[in-house]
Amino acid sequence: MVFGSMRYTNFGLYTVSDKLNIANEMRCFDSKDREFYDSLTDEERKKFSNYLMIRWGSAVQGPSELQEYYLVACNERLNKHFFDINRHPKLQWLCATSVSPGMGNHRHQWISPKKKEKGNNEGKKMLMELYPAMKADEIELLSKLITPKELKEHMRDSGVADKK
């Protein structure tokens, strides 16, 4: 129901600014508030990010068993096919509400996305040419283990012309 600039959900009365507060979103996440997404206005839906549910929802403070549960549940229920259903934000939210074990509200922590490491990009390119069947993580590991000098010597010894 809409009452002026306030909305009522099964879990209380909120002003527009309160609803999109991450603390409120995580409370709705933990309490499995499946009506939360429906309670958002069109403008609020544009501002709301289901992707943040993965980042915030997968890490909680508490016993290690609870932390493990949230991480595994997020991976199983959100990470696997999250972007396959990106045209269905309500379905994404409903999947997010299935993560919580229903044991009350928990303090969630932000997990920042992994940053790309700056480094031996030229060396990685050379390794990819030398070993086209290797996976990206294997190339990354090998580029950390081998020095640029060793790589050039290896390329010279293997008969591959150095591009430099």
Side-chain angles (χ1 to χ4, degrees):
M1 286 183 199
V2 177
F3 299 107
S5 65
M6 302 182 128
R7 283 200 174 271
Y8 178 78
T9 68
N10 292 343
F11 297 95
L13 187 62
Y14 302 102
T15 63
V16 172
S17 62
D18 291 337
K19 277 197 293 184
L20 295 181
N21 175 315
I22 194 66
N24 181 56
E25 291 173 14
M26 288 293 96
R27 188 188 55 71
C28 292
F29 177 90
D30 282 333
S31 56
K32 300 178 176 275
D33 184 355
R34 293 186 169 89
E35 307 299 321
F36 174 73
Y37 188 81
D38 289 334
S39 74
L40 299 175
T41 65
D42 289 339
E43 190 63 33
E44 290 168 333
R45 287 180 186 171
K46 291 177 187 175
K47 294 177 184 177
F48 179 71
S49 171
N50 276 312
Y51 174 72
L52 293 178
M53 295 304 106
I54 294 174
R55 290 289 179 208
W56 280 97
S58 61
V60 295
Q61 291 179 346
S64 61
E65 293 85 7
L66 185 65
Q67 293 175 5
E68 180 182 355
Y69 174 84
Y70 268 90
L71 182 63
V72 170
C74 262
N75 283 338
E76 287 293 317
R77 299 177 190 161
L78 295 180
N79 281 348
K80 280 190 176 179
H81 304 290
F82 190 77
F83 295 105
D84 293 340
I85 58 172
N86 68 341
R87 295 188 191 274
H88 307 283
K90 181 178 179 182
L91 181 57
Q92 286 178 321
W93 171 254
L94 292 173
C95 289
T97 61
S98 73
V99 169
S100 172
M103 298 172 55
N105 294 333
H106 303 283
R107 173 135 171 75
H108 291 266
Q109 299 169 312
W110 171 254
I111 297 179
S112 59
K114 184 178 177 183
K115 295 180 181 174
K116 290 185 179 180
E117 293 181 22
K118 294 181 181 178
N120 191 6
N121 288 332
E122 188 63 34
K124 289 177 192 175
K125 288 178 186 176
M126 288 195 230
L127 287 169
M128 284 190 272
E129 289 174 16
L130 274 173
Y131 307 106
M134 275 192 174
K135 296 179 183 174
D137 60 337
E138 294 169 330
I139 294 287
E140 180 73 31
L141 178 62
L142 189 55
S143 73
K144 289 179 181 178
L145 296 174
I146 192 169
T147 66
K149 183 179 177 183
E150 291 171 327
L151 179 59
K152 287 180 184 180
E153 285 177 15
H154 179 69
M155 291 188 74
R156 185 188 68 233
D157 294 344
S158 62
V160 178
D162 189 11
K163 292 186 175 183
K164 287 189 174 181

